[in-house]
Amino acid sequence: MTSVISRRLFGACAAAAVLAAGAAAAQDTIKIGVITDKTGTAKFYAEPVTEGSMLAAKIINAAGGVLGKKIELLIEDDQNKPDVSATVARKLVDAGVVFILSNTSTTATQQQQTVSLETKTPQLTPSNSGETLTTQIDNPYFFQTGPLFSYQINTLLAYTRAKQFKRVALMTDNSELGQLVARSFKAGLEKAGVQVIVEEVVQRGATSAVPQMQKVRAANPEAIFQAGVLGPEMVLFFRAYHQLGMKTPILGSYNLSIPLYLTMAKDLMDGIVIVDAYDREKPEVKAFEEQFQKEYGRPAFNLNAYGYDGVRLIADAIKRAGSLDKEKIRAAMQATKDFPATIGAKGMKYTFPPGKRTGFDPEGVVVRLIENNAHGRVVHAGQK
Amino acid sequence: MSDILELLVSAASSGCIYGLVALSYLVMIRPTGIINFAVGEWAAVGLFAAFFLLTNRWLPLPYALALIAAVAFTGLIGWGTQRIAVRPLVEKGAPILGPILALLGMLAIFRESISLIFGPDPHNLPAPFGLRQVSLGPFAGTPRDFFIIGCTAAVFVGVWLFFERTVWGKAFEAVALNRKAAALMGINLRRVTVAAFVGGAAIAGFAGVLYSLTAPRDFLMGLPLAVQGFSALVVGGVGRVEGAILGGMILALAEQLTARYADQIGIPSGMSLGVPFLLMIVFLLARPTGLLRPKEAAA
């Protein structure tokens, strides 16, 4: 008897659950989860990316939305802590999102993949550059459109090819991401036959980079490749460089393209070249900057455009999928081909080649010069 | 040769910052026995207060005045912390671990409050110094380095005179030597505790201001600084004021010399990151009282 009751009860519950699911499926918005860092160490690059995402959603909705529905962004803060990041990813999946946009740091995004893989939820990072994101876990639901570190170093090498550097220095910090960038840079340099004669690390919380820079000065390299990501520690590096009266050319990773450096290291960065994926001369960028200025009342910069492209890519995939089925959306994202990018060199388009989940065009990275405490002109584009 | 003289200046200025943090710990530990790991966060309070006083648009203060006001404000925060997290526990007869844990809780409150008020971006404390290297005799460093060294020297002389030459200082020592006897002799324990926390916080706040002269800092700056200061304290010993600066200097020198020269004797320079911990382990094993023992114990 009891078993009959409990079976009936179970049946009723199951029916209620189906009804609830039906109601969720009949929702009138398309929910996209956004994971950003509002309070932690990655905030200064995660939040600008998210601003761009919000702008893209607004523009798409103003033009009628996707599949006749409005896009709704559910934004979560992960404090750039991988464990928290995975938890909020799960929260978003439970809330019924059809896609997760990861605007936080590479290490946090990596942890979210455990959730996207398990729950079969498509996930995209528009800005992360770690190569390991698509190599360590075979997760068909994960996509990446940030400029990979190997593209960055190869583009820097292409830019300096005429100078034929043979012996260079590599400078980073002891953060996880800084170490990751340095490893990628070193591999790229060695592959190109360039010897890293001195490799220095500024530790988090350090009070001086003078000993490290003395070593670099003594080793007398032809150039210094910069791979660190911690703001204060990289400022120590620039200060020591100036203090010791060094003149060796510095070539920076795309982390230095974050505008905050221009104020943190004011007057210390002029003449340095940095990797970027932004060209203000592009018509797409001009149109984007105009809309951004209108929405936020201040000028846009490179990071905003990553998040802007991220939401546009997702909307495009949902449109082509023609449904809110996560599996169909995943397949549509994988089939993305020649989608015009705001980010990247002139004419760059996003494509996921068959079997690959990195969509940034290897020729899309640019090298920019820092002039008068501002990101100046593009001096080189591509790996050739 | 010029390299090593350059390095000495850089290490001395780092050592001064570590030494000040160690001194902040010491001023509180001596009379109360409480290890307060929130000193790093107090340093952050000092720095962000100075930043606010210097750059706010209503009433930006002149440089020296802003620094003094920021240090005084941190002292006030030290009083408040003591009032909330130490006194109630001590008066209810909690074991010494009670206030130590309560202060760890305060640490999180300070850190997150700074993040909420000022945001998570690193803040650059304006400084009236250039970055060009200047020479002082054979020594070469930035004006910031020499400013840090000068200020620290002044603080240490002041604190040393306080302990050696004033009745208050003697009271501190008396409490440190024998709490009960000191109380019986008419020393007000509560007042000594208050003074220790106000003084400790003010010193930590000043250390934070000097620390931020080296690079922009964010709300997470406290922990590395608290760890370095604690290592310096273990090396120098909690017994005497001079121990704090000695420990700071030894720690900074060891760090920077390994970063600069270790690979020439076959040790990877990345090892310099472990130097503070290595030193701490060595001292805890071989000389747990630190280099300088209290005078009475030495005599």
Side-chain angles (χ1 to χ4, degrees):
Chain A
M1 187 63 192
T2 47
S3 77
V4 172
I5 291 177
S6 67
R7 223 177 277 159
R8 274 196 194 146
L9 204 61
F10 175 78
C13 285
V18 169
L19 278 178
Q27 62 194 354
D28 44 6
T29 60
I30 298 175
K31 288 180 181 161
I32 296 174
V34 179
I35 301 180
T36 184
D37 175 5
K38 287 177 192 276
T39 45
T41 45
K43 183 199 166 177
F44 72 111
Y45 54 91
E47 278 291 273
V49 175
T50 301
E51 279 178 345
S53 303
M54 286 156 62
L55 175 65
K58 194 168 177 189
I59 291 172
I60 291 167
N61 286 342
V66 183
L67 307 178
K69 292 174 179 175
K70 300 264 192 249
I71 290 178
E72 183 187 357
L73 298 182
L74 305 183
I75 299 173
E76 288 288 338
D77 174 19
D78 76 344
Q79 305 161 41
N80 191 24
K81 290 177 182 153
D83 49 337
V84 178
S85 210
T87 308
V88 297
R90 200 166 286 280
K91 184 175 162 195
L92 287 170
V93 172
D94 290 345
V97 302
V98 295
F99 221 110
I100 294 174
L101 185 67
S102 303
N103 292 347
T104 176
S105 80
T106 291
T107 42
T109 301
Q110 184 74 300
Q111 196 69 26
Q112 293 155 26
Q113 284 204 55
T114 54
V115 178
S116 63
L117 180 62
E118 187 197 318
T119 60
K120 297 191 175 13
T121 308
Q123 180 191 359
L124 170 78
T125 173
S127 50
N128 292 164
S129 296
E131 325 263 347
T132 44
L133 284 174
T134 54
T135 56
Q136 280 182 354
I137 306 178
D138 185 19
N139 176 4
Y141 294 89
F142 179 79
F143 301 91
Q144 179 179 20
T145 51
L148 298 186
F149 293 136
S150 61
Y151 301 167
Q152 296 182 29
I153 186 66
N154 289 343
T155 306
L156 278 178
L157 282 168
Y159 167 67
T160 58
R161 195 159 289 148
K163 299 199 175 78
Q164 296 200 322
F165 291 141
K166 283 279 159 264
R167 305 163 76 250
V168 302
L170 184 59
M171 195 77 203
T172 190
D173 55 54
N174 65 335
S175 70
E176 213 173 329
L177 189 58
Q179 292 289 312
L180 190 67
V181 184
R183 276 204 301 278
S184 294
F185 271 31
K186 196 176 179 189
L189 287 163
E190 283 174 348
K191 207 168 146 199
V194 181
Q195 194 192 351
V196 177
I197 51 168
V198 49
E199 205 181 332
E200 288 304 315
V201 178
V202 186
Q203 73 191 92
R204 188 192 284 273
T207 43
S208 172
V210 165
Q212 288 90 339
M213 293 315 285
Q214 280 190 343
K215 261 173 87 177
V216 172
R217 185 176 62 180
N220 196 21
E222 291 159 312
I224 302 170
F225 285 81
Q226 179 281 344
V229 301
L230 298 175
E233 288 66 21
M234 287 304 105
V235 172
L236 283 177
F237 154 63
F238 287 124
R239 283 188 174 172
Y241 175 91
H242 279 262
Q243 184 192 335
L244 301 185
M246 295 173 70
K247 298 273 179 262
T248 321
I250 296 177
L251 300 111
S253 78
Y254 97 137
N255 190 265
L256 292 187
S257 75
I258 297 171
L260 187 62
Y261 278 101
L262 297 172
T263 46
M264 274 199 301
K266 195 165 177 285
D267 299 330
L268 298 177
M269 290 173 70
D270 277 357
I272 290 174
V273 292
I274 55 164
V275 168
D276 203 348
Y278 200 61
D279 184 348
R280 302 194 66 183
E281 300 302 311
K282 272 171 68 162
E284 293 91 341
V285 171
K286 284 186 174 153
F288 161 71
E289 290 194 337
E290 203 174 294
Q291 282 167 322
F292 190 95
Q293 175 78 40
K294 212 162 69 187
E295 173 71 20
Y296 292 102
R298 55 189 149 84
F301 61 94
N302 55 356
L303 292 176
N304 304 128
Y306 287 101
Y308 178 76
D309 275 1
V311 166
R312 286 172 61 240
L313 277 161
I314 293 173
D316 177 65
I318 295 174
K319 201 164 117 194
R320 282 185 288 108
S323 98
L324 294 188
D325 179 61
K326 290 199 282 190
E327 187 55 43
K328 284 189 182 142
I329 296 172
R330 183 205 67 78
M333 181 57 87
Q334 180 73 65
T336 300
K337 194 167 184 299
D338 291 337
F339 184 82
T342 316
I343 280 297
K346 279 197 184 76
M348 191 186 111
K349 295 184 168 63
Y350 294 114
T351 298
F352 292 107
K356 281 203 141 184
R357 290 173 285 111
T358 50
F360 191 92
D361 179 353
E363 299 300 326
V365 179
V366 301
V367 178
R368 288 172 86 178
L369 183 65
I370 296 183
E371 304 165 294
N372 303 321
N373 290 311
H375 293 148
R377 61 184 192 275
V378 169
V379 290
H380 178 84
Q383 303 190 14
K384 294 190 181 99
Chain B
M1 190 59 199
S2 73
D3 261 28
I4 189 104
L5 292 175
E6 226 167 44
L7 199 64
L8 282 178
V9 175
S10 153
S13 103
S14 300
C16 281
I17 294 167
Y18 300 161
L20 279 175
V21 179
L23 182 64
S24 168
Y25 279 114
L26 185 140
V27 167
M28 288 175 283
I29 290 179
R30 278 299 274 162
T32 66
I34 295 169
I35 305 174
N36 176 13
F37 289 105
V39 288
E41 268 56 34
W42 280 350
V45 168
L47 151 63
F48 281 90
F51 180 84
F52 175 79
L53 292 171
L54 279 171
T55 61
N56 73 79
R57 66 202 136 100
W58 304 284
L59 184 70
L61 296 182
Y63 204 79
L65 196 60
L67 296 199
I68 291 167
V71 167
F73 175 74
T74 321
L76 198 66
I77 291 286
W79 175 83
T81 313
Q82 180 275 144
R83 189 67 189 76
I84 295 170
V86 178
R87 199 162 108 191
L89 292 168
V90 170
E91 286 182 355
K92 282 180 192 138
I96 204 81
L97 196 60
I100 293 177
L101 291 177
L103 287 165
L104 275 177
M106 294 297 286
L107 177 159
I109 294 172
F110 287 128
R111 189 180 57 208
E112 299 307 321
S113 306
I114 291 171
S115 160
L116 283 176
I117 299 169
F118 290 92
D121 289 346
H123 284 61
N124 219 348
L125 191 71
F129 315 105
L131 288 164
R132 288 268 157 246
Q133 185 149 291
V134 292
S135 294
L136 209 69
F139 297 101
T142 62
R144 287 164 202 254
D145 291 331
F146 293 119
F147 179 74
I148 291 171
I149 294 168
C151 287
T152 308
V155 170
F156 269 91
V157 169
V159 175
W160 185 83
L161 285 175
F162 171 81
F163 275 108
E164 296 291 321
R165 295 280 182 272
T166 67
V167 180
W168 267 91
K170 298 283 176 214
F172 262 59
E173 275 307 292
V175 176
L177 288 174
N178 190 330
R179 227 179 139 72
K180 205 168 264 175
L184 290 173
M185 292 298 171
I187 294 175
N188 187 331
L189 290 183
R190 186 187 279 183
R191 277 200 195 155
V192 169
T193 308
V194 168
F197 273 79
V198 171
I203 293 168
F206 193 53
V209 169
L210 296 184
Y211 183 56
S212 75
L213 290 179
T214 61
R217 300 293 172 187
D218 59 23
F219 71 105
L220 295 169
M221 65 173 259
L223 190 64
L225 199 56
V227 170
Q228 300 289 41
F230 189 70
S231 312
L233 186 71
V234 169
V235 171
V238 292
R240 281 161 64 184
V241 171
E242 307 91 290
I245 190 71
L246 186 69
M249 288 294 173
I250 290 175
L251 182 68
L253 256 184
E255 249 178 17
Q256 301 205 6
L257 285 175
T258 17
R260 176 72 181 88
Y261 296 109
D263 60 344
Q264 294 180 10
I265 51 169
I267 304 168
S269 57
M271 290 293 182
S272 68
L273 309 188
V275 165
F277 303 106
L278 192 69
L279 270 179
M280 203 148 73
I281 292 168
V282 168
F283 271 87
L284 284 174
L285 286 174
R287 203 179 164 96
T289 51
L291 278 174
L292 297 186
R293 293 193 179 148
K295 280 199 189 111
E296 294 71 16

